[in-house]
């Protein structure tokens, strides 16, 4: 959580793909479902707040689209998880909204449509 805030405020976006990969490989370090959604929500907030066109880093659009897809996949795959059903997930709407906004900004219209269909 603090690391993601630091990435956002200090412009360390080039480290985001590695951090995201480490979270996935470690299965979110065995965090509770609620904490996993807090992390994925924060990841999406960082992506939304940092438009890749404002940076001299190459490949950010592809990275943003990949992370957004994986965040949504995590939400979709865990919607019926008994530890935190989707209807009790207070962050699901924010995750979906940010995924839609990032996907549209980055030209991933298929993902945006998929998220919209999931939410409706």
């Amino acid at each position: 959580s603090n690391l993601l805030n630091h990435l956002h405020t200090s412009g360390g976006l080039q480290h985001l793909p590695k951090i995201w990969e480490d979270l996935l490989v470690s299965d979110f370090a065995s965090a509770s479902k609620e904490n996993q959604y807090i992390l994925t929500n924060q990841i999406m907030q960082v992506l939304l707040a940092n438009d890749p066109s404002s940076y001299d880093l190459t490949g950010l659009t592809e990275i943003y689209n990949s992370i957004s897809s994986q965040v949504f996949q995590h939400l979709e795959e865990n919607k019926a998880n008994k530890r935190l059903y989707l209807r009790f997930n207070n962050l699901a709407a924010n995750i979906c909204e940010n995924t839609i906004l990032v996907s549209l900004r980055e030209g991933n219209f298929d993902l945006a449509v998929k998220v919209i269909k999931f939410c409706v």
Side-chain angles (χ1 to χ4, degrees):
S1 174
N2 288 337
L3 178 61
L4 294 176
N5 289 334
H6 185 68
L7 277 179
H8 174 63
T9 57
S10 68
L13 290 177
Q14 69 272 20
H15 303 292
L16 189 60
K18 177 65 174 144
I19 291 167
W20 176 248
E21 181 183 329
D22 289 348
L23 281 171
L24 291 179
V25 168
S26 71
D27 194 27
F28 292 89
S30 300
S32 70
K33 286 295 174 199
E34 186 175 4
N35 285 332
Q36 290 179 29
Y37 291 124
I38 289 170
L39 286 169
T40 56
N41 186 50
Q42 287 179 329
I43 291 275
M44 291 311 302
Q45 288 173 341
V46 169
L47 296 183
L48 184 60
N50 293 280
D51 186 339
S53 65
S54 303
Y55 297 91
D56 287 335
L57 301 170
T58 57
L60 278 183
T61 291
E62 292 80 14
I63 291 167
Y64 278 32
N65 281 328
S66 175
I67 291 173
S68 296
S69 292
Q70 292 169 0
V71 165
F72 176 67
Q73 181 180 354
H74 177 264
L75 181 66
E76 194 174 35
E77 288 174 353
N78 288 285
K79 68 182 177 185
N81 189 297
K82 292 178 181 168
R83 292 193 180 133
L84 186 63
Y85 287 110
L86 183 64
R87 69 179 174 264
F88 300 120
N89 182 348
N90 296 328
L91 295 171
N94 290 337
I95 293 168
C96 287
E97 178 183 3
N98 290 339
T99 302
I100 291 166
L101 293 173
V102 169
S103 299
L104 290 174
R105 184 186 68 204
E106 303 309 318
N108 190 347
F109 304 112
D110 292 338
L111 178 59
V113 168
K114 188 176 178 180
V115 177
I116 290 168
K117 286 180 180 179
F118 174 80
C119 295
V120 179

